Amino acid sequence: FNPTPGIRFSSILGRILSHIFKINFTYPNRLPKKVWDTNKNNKKEILKAIFDDEGTIAPRLAISMKSRNIINEKKKLLKSFNIETSKSIKKFASAGNYDWKITILRDSYKKFYKKIGFYHPKKFKDLKMAIKIQFLSRFNGNKLNNSKSAKKLRNKIIKILSRQPYSVFDLSRLIMVDYQMIYRNIKALEKEGHIKKFGYKNKLKWEINHGLV
């Protein structure tokens, strides 16, 4: 069950609103001008609706759009809440098409959680989990960087993957260790031949290489 609020309106009403706001709803290339004149709470709700619909939190809190201009406007809107983002980058989407993407910097996750948030229940839960993992990873950071702890972490990864394949994102949540730390150790295990990957791009999963383990 997804309790995220939403509004549906007829094509006639859509055309009327498009005329009032002077914007194309199908493939917009900018935010309505009224967005910049509205109060802080309305801006918050606009950003929340945008991220509920288009945002991702696997593994990073990010959003992609077709228009570079509109993604930079959203970056500016986030900045008004002191939420820092990456530069907008061009990424391949499908069938020769490209999207523009910005990522919320990890130091701004808590600000996004407190000032914007999600209505979408899964994204809300995933963001809370990401903040918790971030805290634990910082607390245990130095411990995980020594060779003894790295070996222990890799053994834990192998034990989990011996039960079933997982993505790096799923392993991060299961072990409660930062995504990048898991990824570095996954690549080390792959190089040693203990595990192998399957799938495509962001659908990659890892499994035991039974021929060597």
Side-chain angles (χ1 to χ4, degrees):
F1 174 68
N2 182 359
T4 308
I7 298 174
R8 289 185 179 182
F9 42 78
S10 68
S11 59
I12 294 173
L13 181 56
R15 288 196 291 272
I16 293 170
L17 291 173
S18 180
H19 176 74
I20 292 171
F21 289 106
K22 296 180 173 58
I23 191 169
N24 185 354
F25 288 127
T26 307
Y27 293 107
N29 59 5
R30 64 173 177 81
L31 294 173
K33 290 181 180 178
K34 292 184 182 295
V35 167
W36 306 104
D37 299 327
T38 192
N39 62 50
K40 204 82 168 178
N41 188 62
N42 286 341
K43 288 177 181 176
K44 165 194 165 182
E45 293 301 320
I46 289 165
L47 280 169
K48 185 181 287 189
I50 290 168
F51 274 85
D52 269 342
D53 188 29
E54 303 288 348
T56 63
I57 181 70
R60 297 289 179 233
L61 179 52
I63 190 165
S64 299
M65 303 292 292
K66 296 290 183 187
S67 167
R68 184 180 189 180
N69 184 60
I70 202 168
I71 205 76
N72 283 332
E73 286 191 329
K74 289 172 183 178
K75 179 181 173 73
K76 183 180 176 181
L77 202 55
L78 287 162
K79 181 71 174 176
S80 71
F81 288 87
N82 295 317
I83 295 170
E84 300 294 332
T85 66
S86 67
K87 292 181 179 180
S88 57
I89 58 170
K90 191 177 184 180
K91 70 182 191 73
F92 178 76
S94 61
N97 296 316
Y98 290 86
D99 287 342
W100 289 92
K101 175 182 178 181
I102 54 170
T103 302
I104 308 295
L105 301 187
R106 287 187 294 174
D107 286 344
S108 286
Y109 276 23
K110 272 191 177 181
K111 287 181 184 177
F112 185 92
Y113 176 78
K114 291 178 179 179
K115 296 181 178 183
I116 310 297
F118 287 106
Y119 283 120
H120 193 292
K122 185 178 185 306
K123 292 179 182 180
F124 178 77
K125 183 179 177 181
D126 286 346
L127 179 58
K128 284 184 72 175
M129 179 69 77
I131 292 169
K132 186 176 181 180
I133 290 171
Q134 185 184 91
F135 171 78
L136 290 173
S137 294
R138 284 179 176 174
F139 183 77
N140 297 316
N142 292 328
K143 298 177 185 177
L144 291 171
N145 283 325
N146 65 60
S147 57
K148 186 177 179 181
S149 295
K151 184 178 180 181
K152 188 176 180 181
L153 177 58
R154 291 173 193 179
N155 287 338
K156 187 177 287 188
I157 290 170
I158 288 173
K159 185 177 179 181
I160 291 172
L161 293 180
S162 67
R163 297 197 292 266
Q164 71 178 74
Y166 283 105
S167 67
V168 176
F169 176 69
D170 289 334
L171 285 168
S172 173
R173 294 183 63 180
L174 284 168
I175 303 174
M176 298 298 288
V177 171
D178 180 69
Y179 176 91
Q180 290 182 337
M181 180 70 73
I182 293 291
Y183 184 74
R184 286 199 297 271
N185 284 277
I186 279 283
K187 295 303 289 183
L189 287 169
E190 181 191 28
K191 188 175 181 180
E192 293 168 1
H194 295 298
I195 62 175
K196 59 183 180 180
K197 61 188 173 187
F198 66 94
Y200 179 71
K201 288 190 175 180
N202 61 336
K203 301 293 184 181
L204 279 177
K205 287 191 176 184
W206 303 83
E207 64 183 356
I208 296 296
N209 187 352
H210 292 287
L212 292 174
V213 176

